[in-house]
Amino acid sequence: MNHTVYRARALVIGSGCAGWAAALHAQRLGVDTLLLTQGLRMGTSHNTGSDKQTYYKLSLAGQEADSVMDMAQDLFAGGGMDGDIALCMAAGSARAFFHLCELGVPFPTDAYGQYAGYQTDHDQRRRATSAGPLTSQYMARALERAGQAAGVRVLDQHYAVELLMHEGRVRGVIAVDIARQGQPGHGLVAVIADHVVLATGGPACCYRDSVFPDSQHGMMGLALQQGAQASNLHQWQYGLASTSFRWNVSGTYQQVVPRYVSVGEDGHPQEFLADALGEQRAMELTFLKGYEWPFDAAKAQGSSQVDLLVHREMHEKGRRVYLDYRQNPRGWRNDLHALPETAREYLAASGATQPTPFARLMHMNAPAVALYRDNGIDLEKEPLPIAVCAQHLNGGLQVDEHWRTTLPGLYAVGECAGTFGVRRPGGSALNATQVGAQRAAEHIARQPVLSDEFTGTDSVHALAARLDGLPQQPAAQDAALRMRAA
Ligand SMILES: Cc1cc2nc3c(=O)[nH]c(=O)nc-3n(C[C@H](O)[C@H](O)[C@H](O)COP(=O)(O)OP(=O)(O)OC[C@H]3O[C@@H](n4cnc5c(N)ncnc54)[C@H](O)[C@@H]3O)c2cc1C
């Protein structure tokens, strides 16, 4: 059985923000680049968002003095983070951001053309910006257009299942051509390259309660299987999200102070936040959750109590938890006087004094309501099922200041790279996708060209033979291949 062999100087796996950025930069630097992906529009970047999806960068507006070292120190202060990586992320941030602006990502400017920023989680400056709820999608689409225009070759509908090793370094991958998976040879192909860049995102398939899109699985396991070192693999970011339609319930979804209820087998709704915290404190922390979305152990006595109580209802008491926008929480007063001063002033200044959470949400953020309606959920009529969900892996494959993994020939960029530690400023994941991709591509472009004697066919035949030995059920073979990758 002959298997197709593709060749490129750089192989990038993944078509999200990180993969397309790496492929585009490498191709523009004269490196013949092939991008292989399970699905061009699959993964987190193309299919996710939030109330205001944030991009974190060096402050670039007159209102805020900033420096590369200040930003690096703030990233480093998240804990468990490598200082060199923090410095690279800060140093590359303005360049990466302007590159995206030039590609047409619609980051807003003020009347004077300044990219005015706002303060995000775990940061004291106003470095954050947003192109709206779908910032990562705008980025991925803009990078994809530019990458295709630059001549990056694409192998779509191919699923990488095994790294090809030769003389101690990574020299490519074995992938499944999904259209030919059920045929003799299992659709296995080899892609041989001097350098392989993993841009395969977070290992989303680890969690049941997840706000990753369904189409994101991850494939870090391929590198771990070959002995790559990992870093901070246990450092995940969790937060409250709706589960029937996967979406973070951050920002205005909390600031309008909806009612949190849990329901058990008797079907009787219970206001568990007010029961546990008292009515006023429950409302105060709900409002605060809008600003402090991710669960943070350091805020276990503050807004993260909400996450802990939701988790307890679901996993200790076996109850389902909902956000209910139809009714105010217990103890609510229409003059807002049950709220602490900051929340009261904020809602009054926003004109959000309507009698129900739904009406306040409509007033403050009508697109947030429309989004759910477009996905079959009417917040005016039904409660919204939520859970504490996995959103982002801060750790991942260990990389150095060129985003090289510990396996020679293998780079990791974007979420599969373990560049963060305990906490990270909101929006810094998207900055990391761009800076890491830029650094990896520049490093690859400086390397000598390797010989092209290696074909990888022995490894492909060996894997095909192992699959032949499995029961003749496509599902069993498919599962075996996916397990290898994840
Ligand atoms: C709900 C939500 C909200 C978020 N909000 C923010 C935010 O406001 N700010 C921020 O900075 N970050 C945010 N993030 C995180 C950020 O969106 C991601 O970290 C980022 O988009 C990941 O980009 P990536 O290119 O690394 O991976 P992805 O975009 O996930 O791309 C992975 C790619 O790899 C492909 N792939 C995977 N396995 C294989 C395989 N075996 N073979 C071939 N291809 C494969 C996939 O198909 C996909 O194309 C959010 C994440 C979520 C889930």
Side-chain angles (χ1 to χ4, degrees), residues 387-426:
V388 181
C389 291
Q391 189 221 12
H392 182 265
L393 175 58
N394 281 353
L397 295 173
Q398 187 181 314
V399 292
D400 68 5
E401 70 278 14
H402 300 294
W403 270 250
R404 282 180 298 188
T405 70
T406 54
L407 290 181
L410 183 70
Y411 297 73
V413 300
E415 193 170 334
C416 67
T419 48
F420 294 103
V422 185
R423 294 183 196 86
R424 59 174 181 83

Coordinates of all heavy atoms in Angstrom, one line a residue, residues 387-426:
A387 N -22.7 26.2 34.4 CA -21.8 25.4 35.2 C -20.5 26.1 35.3 O -20.2 27.1 34.6 CB -21.6 24.0 34.6
V388 N -19.6 25.7 36.2 CA -18.2 26.1 36.2 C -17.5 25.3 35.2 O -17.4 24.1 35.3 CB -17.6 25.9 37.6 CG1 -16.2 26.5 37.6 CG2 -18.4 26.6 38.7
C389 N -17.0 26.0 34.1 CA -16.5 25.3 33.0 C -15.0 25.6 32.8 O -14.5 26.7 33.1 CB -17.2 25.8 31.7 SG -19.0 25.3 31.7
A390 N -14.3 24.6 32.1 CA -13.0 24.9 31.7 C -12.9 25.8 30.5 O -13.7 25.6 29.6 CB -12.3 23.5 31.3
Q391 N -12.0 26.8 30.6 CA -12.0 27.7 29.4 C -10.6 27.8 28.8 O -10.5 28.1 27.6 CB -12.4 29.1 29.9 CG -12.6 30.1 28.8 CD -12.0 31.5 29.1 OE1 -11.2 31.7 30.0 NE2 -12.3 32.4 28.2
H392 N -9.6 27.6 29.5 CA -8.2 27.9 29.0 C -7.2 27.1 29.8 O -7.3 27.1 31.0 CB -7.9 29.4 29.0 CG -6.6 29.7 28.3 ND1 -5.5 29.9 29.1 CD2 -6.3 29.9 27.1 CE1 -4.5 30.2 28.3 NE2 -4.9 30.2 27.0
L393 N -6.2 26.5 29.1 CA -5.1 25.9 29.8 C -3.9 26.9 29.8 O -3.4 27.3 28.8 CB -4.7 24.6 29.1 CG -3.4 23.9 29.6 CD1 -3.6 23.6 31.1 CD2 -3.1 22.7 28.8
N394 N -3.6 27.3 31.0 CA -2.4 28.3 31.1 C -1.1 27.6 30.8 O -0.2 28.1 30.3 CB -2.4 28.9 32.5 CG -3.4 30.0 32.7 OD1 -4.0 30.4 31.7 ND2 -3.5 30.5 33.9
G395 N -1.0 26.3 31.2 CA 0.2 25.5 31.0 C 0.1 24.9 29.6 O -0.7 25.2 28.8
G396 N 1.1 23.9 29.4 CA 1.1 23.2 28.1 C 2.5 22.7 27.9 O 3.2 22.4 28.8
L397 N 2.9 22.6 26.6 CA 4.2 22.1 26.3 C 5.2 23.2 26.7 O 5.1 24.4 26.3 CB 4.3 21.8 24.8 CG 3.4 20.6 24.3 CD1 3.4 20.5 22.8 CD2 3.8 19.3 25.0
Q398 N 6.3 22.7 27.3 CA 7.3 23.7 27.7 C 8.0 24.3 26.5 O 8.4 23.5 25.6 CB 8.3 23.0 28.6 CG 9.3 23.9 29.3 CD 10.3 23.1 30.1 OE1 9.9 22.2 30.9 NE2 11.6 23.4 30.0
V399 N 8.2 25.6 26.5 CA 8.9 26.2 25.3 C 9.9 27.2 25.9 O 9.8 27.7 27.0 CB 7.9 27.0 24.4 CG1 7.0 26.0 23.7 CG2 7.1 28.0 25.1
D400 N 10.9 27.6 25.0 CA 11.9 28.6 25.4 C 11.5 29.9 24.7 O 10.4 30.1 24.2 CB 13.3 28.1 25.0 CG 13.5 28.0 23.5 OD1 12.6 28.4 22.7 OD2 14.6 27.5 23.0
E401 N 12.5 30.8 24.7 CA 12.2 32.2 24.2 C 12.0 32.2 22.6 O 11.6 33.3 22.1 CB 13.2 33.2 24.6 CG 14.6 33.0 24.0 CD 15.5 31.9 24.7 OE1 14.9 31.1 25.4 OE2 16.7 31.9 24.4
H402 N 12.2 31.1 22.0 CA 11.9 31.0 20.5 C 10.7 30.1 20.3 O 10.4 29.7 19.2 CB 13.0 30.5 19.7 CG 14.3 31.4 19.8 ND1 14.3 32.7 19.3 CD2 15.5 31.2 20.4 CE1 15.5 33.2 19.6 NE2 16.2 32.3 20.2
W403 N 10.0 29.7 21.4 CA 8.8 28.8 21.4 C 9.2 27.5 20.8 O 8.4 26.7 20.2 CB 7.7 29.5 20.6 CG 6.8 30.3 21.5 CD1 5.5 30.0 21.9 CD2 7.1 31.6 22.2 NE1 5.0 31.0 22.7 CE2 6.0 31.9 22.9 CE3 8.2 32.4 22.2 CZ2 5.9 33.1 23.7 CZ3 8.1 33.5 23.0 CH2 7.0 33.9 23.7
R404 N 10.5 27.1 21.1 CA 10.9 25.7 20.8 C 10.5 24.8 22.0 O 10.8 25.2 23.1 CB 12.5 25.6 20.7 CG 13.0 26.1 19.3 CD 14.5 26.0 19.3 NE 15.1 26.8 20.3 CZ 16.4 27.0 20.4 NH1 17.3 26.4 19.6 NH2 16.9 27.8 21.3
T405 N 10.0 23.6 21.7 CA 9.8 22.7 22.8 C 11.1 22.0 23.1 O 12.1 22.3 22.5 CB 8.7 21.6 22.3 OG1 9.4 20.7 21.4 CG2 7.5 22.2 21.7
T406 N 11.0 21.0 24.0 CA 12.3 20.3 24.4 C 12.6 19.2 23.3 O 13.6 18.6 23.4 CB 12.2 19.7 25.8 OG1 11.0 18.9 25.8 CG2 12.1 20.8 26.8
L407 N 11.7 19.0 22.3 CA 12.0 18.0 21.3 C 12.6 18.8 20.1 O 12.0 19.7 19.6 CB 10.8 17.4 20.8 CG 10.1 16.3 21.7 CD1 8.8 15.8 20.9 CD2 11.0 15.2 22.1
P408 N 13.9 18.5 19.7 CA 14.5 19.3 18.6 C 13.6 19.2 17.3 O 13.0 18.2 17.0 CB 15.8 18.5 18.3 CG 16.1 17.8 19.6 CD 14.8 17.5 20.3
G409 N 13.4 20.3 16.7 CA 12.6 20.4 15.5 C 11.1 20.7 15.7 O 10.4 20.9 14.8
L410 N 10.7 20.7 17.0 CA 9.3 20.9 17.3 C 9.1 22.2 18.1 O 9.7 22.4 19.1 CB 8.7 19.8 18.1 CG 7.2 19.9 18.4 CD1 6.4 19.6 17.2 CD2 6.8 18.8 19.5
Y411 N 8.2 23.1 17.6 CA 7.8 24.3 18.2 C 6.4 24.2 18.7 O 5.6 23.4 18.1 CB 7.9 25.5 17.2 CG 9.3 25.8 16.7 CD1 9.9 24.9 15.7 CD2 10.0 26.9 17.1 CE1 11.2 25.2 15.3 CE2 11.3 27.1 16.6 CZ 11.9 26.3 15.7 OH 13.1 26.6 15.2
A412 N 6.0 24.9 19.7 CA 4.6 24.9 20.1 C 4.2 26.4 20.2 O 4.9 27.2 20.9 CB 4.4 24.2 21.4
V413 N 3.1 26.8 19.6 CA 2.6 28.2 19.7 C 1.1 28.2 20.1 O 0.4 27.3 19.8 CB 2.9 29.0 18.4 CG1 4.4 29.0 18.1 CG2 2.1 28.4 17.2
G414 N 0.7 29.3 20.6 CA -0.7 29.5 21.0 C -1.0 28.7 22.3 O -0.1 28.5 23.1
E415 N -2.2 28.2 22.4 CA -2.6 27.7 23.7 C -1.9 26.4 24.0 O -1.9 26.0 25.2 CB -4.2 27.5 23.7 CG -4.7 27.2 25.1 CD -6.2 27.3 25.2 OE1 -6.8 28.0 24.4 OE2 -6.7 26.6 26.1
C416 N -1.4 25.6 23.0 CA -0.8 24.4 23.4 C 0.6 24.6 24.0 O 1.2 23.7 24.5 CB -0.7 23.4 22.2 SG 0.3 23.9 20.8
A417 N 1.1 25.8 23.9 CA 2.4 26.1 24.5 C 2.2 26.5 26.0 O 1.2 27.3 26.3 CB 3.1 27.3 23.8
G418 N 3.0 26.0 26.9 CA 2.8 26.3 28.3 C 3.5 27.6 28.7 O 4.4 27.5 29.4
T419 N 2.9 28.7 28.3 CA 3.6 30.0 28.5 C 3.1 30.7 29.7 O 3.7 31.7 30.1 CB 3.5 30.9 27.3 OG1 2.2 30.9 26.9 CG2 4.4 30.3 26.2
F420 N 2.0 30.3 30.3 CA 1.5 31.0 31.5 C 1.6 30.1 32.7 O 1.7 28.9 32.6 CB 0.0 31.5 31.3 CG -0.1 32.5 30.2 CD1 -0.5 32.2 28.9 CD2 0.3 33.8 30.4 CE1 -0.6 33.1 27.9 CE2 0.2 34.8 29.4 CZ -0.3 34.4 28.2
G421 N 1.4 30.8 33.9 CA 1.4 30.0 35.1 C 0.0 30.0 35.8 O -1.0 29.6 35.2
V422 N 0.0 30.6 37.1 CA -1.2 30.5 37.9 C -2.3 31.4 37.3 O -3.4 31.0 37.1 CB -0.9 30.8 39.3 CG1 -2.1 30.6 40.2 CG2 0.3 30.0 39.8
R423 N -2.0 32.6 37.1 CA -2.9 33.6 36.6 C -2.3 34.3 35.4 O -1.1 34.4 35.2 CB -3.2 34.7 37.6 CG -3.9 34.2 38.9 CD -4.2 35.3 39.8 NE -4.5 34.7 41.1 CZ -3.5 34.4 42.0 NH1 -2.3 34.8 41.8 NH2 -3.8 33.9 43.1
R424 N -3.2 34.9 34.6 CA -2.7 35.7 33.5 C -3.7 36.8 33.3 O -4.9 36.7 33.5 CB -2.5 34.9 32.2 CG -3.8 34.3 31.7 CD -3.7 33.6 30.4 NE -4.9 33.0 30.0 CZ -5.9 33.7 29.4 NH1 -5.8 35.0 29.1 NH2 -7.1 33.1 29.1
P425 N -3.3 38.0 32.8 CA -4.2 39.1 32.6 C -5.2 38.7 31.5 O -4.8 38.0 30.5 CB -3.3 40.2 32.1 CG -1.9 39.9 32.6 CD -1.9 38.4 32.6
G426 N -6.4 39.0 31.6 CA -7.4 38.7 30.6 C -7.0 39.2 29.3 O -6.5 40.4 29.2

